[in-house]
Amino acid sequence: MPLEYEGVRVPESLRVFWDTPIGRWWRQGVDDKAATLPFEVKPGQIYADNDPRSDGRTLRVDEVIDGVALCTILTNRHITEYWLHQEGSWVKDQIGHRTRIKVRRLYPNARGYRLIEDVKE
């Protein structure tokens, strides 16, 4: 029997994901999914970017407000580091810059983020 969600057949590649806590959270159809995440995002946590275009970038969560994490960039992307050391490069160092990321993006999928270091209690 094919697995369906709202009348659409779920591809075979998503079936592994389907019954995980993240999969159940994704299917629940809540408008504010950040309020019901199966994990907690807390100030002090350090995340690494999973997006291959941002390989090497890490950030620290400074505060969480209304489903948005205010973060400080700790390390540059690998390609940014490469270009920073080239003569005549126009690339700017991003270390120390602040950025905002939706809390729902801070889970380990292909374009999300993975937790590297949790808050030390």
Side-chain angles (χ1 to χ4, degrees), residues 91-116:
V91 175
K92 293 182 180 175
D93 191 357
Q94 295 295 310
I95 295 174
H97 284 229
R98 305 256 329 215
T99 188
R100 295 174 303 213
I101 299 171
K102 290 190 177 193
V103 169
R104 68 174 183 250
R105 289 201 58 229
L106 293 174
Y107 63 86
N109 68 359
R111 299 280 190 237
Y113 295 82
R114 65 187 179 281
L115 181 65
I116 294 179

Side-chain angles (χ1 to χ4, degrees), residues 26-41:
W26 180 77
R27 291 193 323 268
Q28 69 189 0
V30 175
D31 289 334
D32 183 18
K33 289 185 176 179
T36 61
L37 285 171
F39 57 90
E40 187 177 358
V41 176

